[in-house]
Amino acid sequence: MKAFTVLGPSGSGKSTLVAALARLDGAASEPVPLGDASLTVFRYLGQDWAAIEVPGGPDAMAAAGPALATSDMAVVCVPAEVDAAVLAAPYLRLTEEAGIPTLVFINKVDATTERVRDIVAALQAYCRHHIVLRQVPMRQGSTVVGAVDLISERAWSYREGGPSALVELPADTAGREKEARAELLESLADFDDELLSQLIEDKTPMTAEVFAVARKVVGHGDLVSAFLGAASHGNGVTRLMKSLRHECPDPDALRERVGAGPGVIAIGSLGDVRKHVGKLVLVRALGAGVGVGAQLAGASVGSITASDLKTQVRTLEPGAMGLTLKSDHLVPARLYTAGGEQALPAWAAARAPVFREVAAATSDRDDVRLSAALARLAEIDPGFRLEQDDVSGNAILATQGQLHARRLVERLRDDFGVPTAQSAVSPAYRETIGRKVEHHHRHKKQTGGAGQFADILIDLVPEPRGSGFRFEEVVKGGAVPRNYIPSVEAGAMEALKQGPHGFPVVDVRVVLKDGKHHAVDSSDFAFRTAGRAAVKEAMVEAGIVLLQPIVKVEIHVPSAFTGGLVPMISGIKGQVLGFEAHPTAAGWDVFTALLPQTGLEELYRHLGSATRGTAWFEASFDHHEETSAKELKLAEAAAG
Ligand SMILES: Nc1nc2c(ncn2[C@@H]2O[C@H](COP(=O)(O)OP(=O)(O)O)[C@@H](O)[C@H]2O)c(=O)[nH]1
Ligand SMILES: [Mg+2]
C-alpha cells in the first residue's frame, strides 16, 4: 500500500480531488472520518492507495503531522488564485519541515483567468524548494481547456468528467511549452549530472530518461512539482495520479524520514473514538509481525480492520494500513516497537493550544463521566490539551482554536452524552503588598479546659517581582520556642493562598521577630492560627497591589502580514519586541511581543482575521506587572 496526505486551504477542493482520484479505477470506498481528518482507500492500476485528507484552517492542523508521518507523499491542493497563495503557506512550510516529497495541485483552473506561472511564483515565496511546473495550460481565450505535459510534451484536451483526449500541441502554446520545459529540465538537472551534461551539450534527452530523473528528484523531495486541473470536472486528475504512482518513494524512505530505528515496526497515525466501538488508531506497518495478537507498543493488538471498520485483517504487511480496535494501550502519533513506543519527530507535533475555555458538565451528576470523556479525547486528539482552572478547579479545554473547541463540545454531547457549558478561564492574577509593615497579633482563647495562646510580632516585607515567598525568623532567647516556628510559617503560607481579592499572594517576605508563649496553653495549632491571622491583617495594612501576568508571545506569521501586526499588538495593549525572518521557513517571520495574559483571547481573534488564518502563536509566562483594581474590574467584566 502507498499513502499520501492531501492538505491545503479550506475550500481549495481537497475532498473533491480525493474523490476524483479514488474514482479513477472504478469503485472507491467512502471517506472514513478520523477525528478532523478522513481516510479514503482505493485501488489504482493494481496498487492499493490510502489518501488522508486534512481539512484546511488552523483548527485541524494538528492532524497534519501524524498524517504526514504515515504518508509517502504530500499533495498540497491550492486554488488557482495568486491572492490565495499565502493561504498555502502553512502547508508548504509543514511539508518542508516534514521533508516529505510534495506535489502541488493547482485546482479550479476552470474558474481562473490568472496565469499559472504567476500562481507558482506566488507560492514559491513560501517554499525553499524550487516549485516547478510539470504542465502548462492550453487555453481558448482565457479559459483553460487542457494541459501539456512538459516531460512527454503531449497535449491533453480536458473532457468533462472523463479522461482527457490526446491532441496535437496547439501552435499558440508551443512557445510557452518550450520555455517551461527548459526551466523544468534545468531544475531537474541541478540534481542529476547526466541530465546536466546532456543539456550543456544541447542534446535532447529521451523522455524515458527525464521521467526517471523526475522520479528520483521528486521522490527524494528535492523539487516540488506543480500540476494543474479542475477536480470537480475530473480534469488533470489522471496526470496527478500517474505522478503519484511513479514518483512515490518506497516505505524505506518513510522509515528514515520519521527517524524510525531498527526496532520500530509500525507508526500510529491518527486516532478516534466511536460509539459502541471504542478507541481506534490508524496504524501503518513498517516491518513484519504487525497483526492481531502480536505485541505492539508493549501489549497485544486486539483487532485490526480495514478502513471500513468491518473487514477483519489478521496481519498488516509492511507498508499496509489498518485500524486497530480493542487495543486501548495504543496512543496515536507514535512510533511503535513491539515492546514500547517513541515520539514522532518534532515537526509532527501539534502546535501549542491558542484557545482556552472552561467546560463544566451541565448536570453535576455527569462530572465523573465528563472527566472520563475528556481524558479519552485528549488521548486521541494531539491538538487538545486538558488543563485545570486555578480558581474553579474545572476542566479547561486548551485547543487549536474556537472551531476545534466547538467540535469537542459537540462530541462530548453527541458521542459521550455529556452536555457541557463553557465559560471564560479565570485570569491568573496575583496579589502583593505595597510597603513594609510591622504587625503584632495575639491569639488567646479560654474555652473550658485547655486554652490557646500564641503571641507573635512579624514584619511583612515586599520583595522583588518573581521572588515568591520567603520566611525568616530572628527570634531571640526562645521568646517563640523553636518547635513552634514552623507552625507560624505554615500559618503565614495559608494566609497567602488567597489575598483580599481572592488571588494568591506573591513576592513577600514574612519575618518572625518576637513573640510570647505560655507553658500550658501554647501549641502548634495556636501558633499556626496566629501566623495566619497576623499575615492576613498585615496584608491589609500594607496595602494590596494587584499583579497581572504578562506573557511573551512568539507569533509565526507570513511576512506579507508582519507589518499589520504592529498596530494590532498596540491595539490590544501589547508591547512589540521585534520581528525577524524565520531561520528556515521561507516567507515566514517570527514576531515577538509582550502582552497581558488577559489579552490572549483578543490576540487569537485579531490574528486570525489579520492574517487570514495563517498565523499562530506560542505564549509563555514572562513576568507579573502591577495593575489597578479598576483594570481588574474591567477585565473581569470583559471576560463576562
Ligand atoms: N470550479 C471548481 N470548483 C471546484 C473544483 N474543485 C472543487 N470545487 C468546489 O470547491 C468547493 C470546495 O471543495 P472541497 O472539495 O469541499 O474543498 P476542501 O475544503 O478543500 O475539501 C466545492 O463547492 C467544490 O465543488 C474545481 O476544480 N473547479
Ligand atoms: Mg474537505
Side-chain angles (χ1 to χ4, degrees):
M1 179 177 260
K2 297 195 166 192
F4 60 94
T5 294
V6 180
L7 64 181
S10 179
S12 59
K14 297 178 295 298
S15 304
T16 312
L17 177 62
V18 170
L21 290 168
R23 255 198 321 266
L24 283 175
D25 236 8
S29 69
E30 283 295 301
V32 182
L34 283 171
D36 289 334
S38 59
L39 169 73
T40 304
V41 170
F42 61 98
R43 270 180 91 73
Y44 182 69
L45 303 183
Q47 164 83 54
D48 286 321
W49 285 89
I52 304 174
E53 184 198 341
V54 178
D59 289 75
M61 200 64 178
L68 292 173
T70 16
S71 294
D72 303 304
M73 262 188 139
V75 175
V76 177
C77 179
V78 299
E81 270 175 67
V82 170
D83 279 351
V86 68
L87 302 180
Y91 312 102
L92 290 170
R93 173 172 170 173
L94 183 62
T95 53
E96 289 204 311
E97 285 171 352
I100 190 169
T102 301
L103 305 178
V104 166
F105 187 70
I106 300 171
N107 191 29
K108 306 196 183 185
V109 292
D110 57 318
T112 192
T113 55
E114 295 184 16
R115 297 202 314 181
V116 171
R117 71 189 91 167
D118 295 340
I119 296 166
V120 170
L123 292 168
Q124 186 67 66
Y126 303 105
C127 195
R128 270 180 298 136
H129 289 91
H130 198 171
I131 306 178
V132 284
L133 269 173
R134 294 280 296 271
Q135 298 172 295
V136 287
M138 295 190 295
R139 297 191 193 247
Q140 251 164 31
S142 59
T143 309
V144 178
V145 294
V148 187
D149 187 274
L150 293 176
I151 296 182
S152 68
E153 302 199 87
R154 287 180 170 183
W156 298 93
S157 169
Y158 290 155
R159 287 193 301 194
E160 179 62 38
S164 300
L166 186 61
V167 294
E168 197 78 27
L169 176 66
D172 60 356
T173 310
R176 170 63 189 141
E177 191 274 334
K178 284 276 164 293
E179 178 191 23
R181 183 169 205 264
E183 199 180 316
L184 169 63
L185 293 182
E186 276 169 32
S187 303
L188 289 171
D190 283 344
F191 303 95
D192 189 89
D193 293 341
E194 184 63 30
L195 182 60
L196 182 64
S197 52
Q198 291 194 41
L199 295 185
I200 291 170
E201 289 163 28
D202 240 353
K203 286 189 191 150
T204 308
M206 307 266 290
T207 301
E209 281 169 14
V210 183
F211 272 122
V213 174
R215 179 199 182 112
K216 182 189 79 179
V217 172
V218 175
H220 203 251
D222 293 324
L223 280 181
V224 173
S225 298
F227 295 88
L228 43 120
S232 60
H233 300 277
N235 298 150
V237 177
T238 305
R239 184 67 200 84
L240 180 71
M241 196 61 223
K242 283 193 169 156
S243 196
L244 282 164
R245 178 175 148 80
H246 288 293
E247 289 156 25
C248 196
D250 56 39
D252 281 349
L254 171 61
R255 182 176 265 287
E256 193 174 319
R257 194 156 49 74
V258 295
V264 172
I265 52 172
I267 310 177
S269 184
L270 299 154
D272 209 344
V273 270
R274 293 269 201 293
K275 252 186 189 164
H276 315 304
V277 174
K279 178 170 160 186
L280 49 105
V281 177
L282 176 65
V283 167
R284 186 161 195 207
L286 288 181
V290 182
V292 177
Q295 290 285 304
L296 192 63
S300 74
V301 175
S303 148
I304 304 175
T305 71
S307 65
D308 59 4
L309 274 168
K310 289 190 195 89
T311 314
Q312 298 291 322
V313 179
R314 297 292 320 166
T315 47
L316 290 177
E317 298 305 320
M321 282 181 171
L323 297 167
T324 57
L325 307 170
K326 300 181 193 145
S327 312
D328 262 7
H329 69 289
L330 291 181
V331 178
R334 295 281 194 287
L335 302 174
Y336 304 139
T337 60
E341 56 171 48
Q342 299 162 15
L344 288 176
W347 53 258
R351 296 170 183 167
V354 290
F355 187 79
R356 286 177 169 76
E357 237 171 26
V358 170
T362 321
S363 148
D364 289 346
R365 283 186 326 238
D366 284 341
D367 279 354
V368 175
R369 287 174 57 221
L370 175 63
S371 311
L374 288 173
R376 207 80 174 130
L377 288 169
E379 257 173 36
I380 52 129
D381 183 344
F384 166 47
R385 213 151 68 193
L386 188 55
E387 297 176 352
Q388 206 180 32
D389 192 55
D390 266 2
V391 175
S392 66
N394 282 330
I396 294 178
L397 312 185
T399 57
Q400 302 289 311
Q402 197 171 13
L403 278 176
H404 183 206
R406 193 179 304 161
R407 280 201 296 270
L408 282 173
V409 165
E410 282 167 8
R411 292 204 69 172
L412 286 172
R413 186 193 61 206
D414 302 340
D415 299 349
F416 293 89
V418 187
T420 56
Q422 281 67 248
S423 56
V425 178
S426 2
Y429 284 106
R430 295 289 179 267
E431 300 178 33
T432 191
I433 53 166
R435 61 192 158 80
K436 175 180 170 178
V437 290
E438 182 181 71
H439 190 79
H440 170 248
H441 183 88
R442 173 171 291 189
H443 175 66
K444 193 174 170 193
K445 252 189 189 154
Q446 208 64 57
T447 44
Q452 296 178 21
F453 182 88
D455 182 298
I456 55 173
L457 181 69
I458 61 162
D459 275 346
L460 187 62
V461 189
E463 291 282 281
R465 285 294 88 80
S467 50
F469 166 67
R470 217 141 60 83
F471 181 82
E472 242 174 55
E473 57 91 7
V474 289
V475 181
K476 288 193 195 69
V480 178
R482 299 235 69 81
N483 54 318
Y484 292 139
I485 291 178
S487 303
V488 178
E489 178 173 4
M493 284 170 76
E494 273 172 39
L496 296 174
K497 269 190 197 147
Q498 267 199 353
H501 293 283
F503 300 105
V505 181
V506 295
D507 303 342
V508 294
R509 179 160 50 112
V510 174
V511 187
L512 177 63
K513 299 203 295 190
D514 202 0
K516 289 192 177 64
H517 69 287
H518 185 276
V520 178
D521 290 347
S522 282
S523 64
D524 281 332
F525 179 79
F527 274 99
R528 201 172 78 215
T529 309
R532 187 172 57 228
V535 171
K536 272 203 185 301
E537 291 157 9
M539 279 195 290
V540 176
E541 246 174 78
I544 281 293
V545 176
L546 270 171
L547 296 175
Q548 65 169 341
I550 305 293
V551 292
K552 185 172 176 182
V553 287
E554 252 187 26
I555 306 173
H556 291 254
V557 58
S559 49
F561 297 123
T562 305
L565 296 194
V566 175
M568 190 201 89
I569 294 291
S570 311
I572 54 175
K573 296 193 182 138
Q575 180 197 342
V576 174
L577 297 179
F579 58 88
E580 52 189 32
H582 190 281
T584 53
W588 287 81
D589 284 335
V590 180
F591 191 104
T592 47
L594 293 174
L595 200 69
Q597 194 188 51
T598 46
L600 281 178
E601 189 168 334
E602 264 184 293
L603 174 68
Y604 168 73
R605 289 180 202 291
H606 285 75
L607 195 61
S609 51
T611 70
R612 301 173 71 188
T614 55
W616 75 94
F617 63 88
E618 279 170 57
S620 54
F621 172 79
D622 193 78
H623 65 277
H624 276 117
E625 206 169 88
E626 290 184 14
T627 184
S628 64
K630 191 174 130 216
E631 268 184 69
L632 169 72
K633 293 261 149 43
L634 290 176
E636 278 173 348

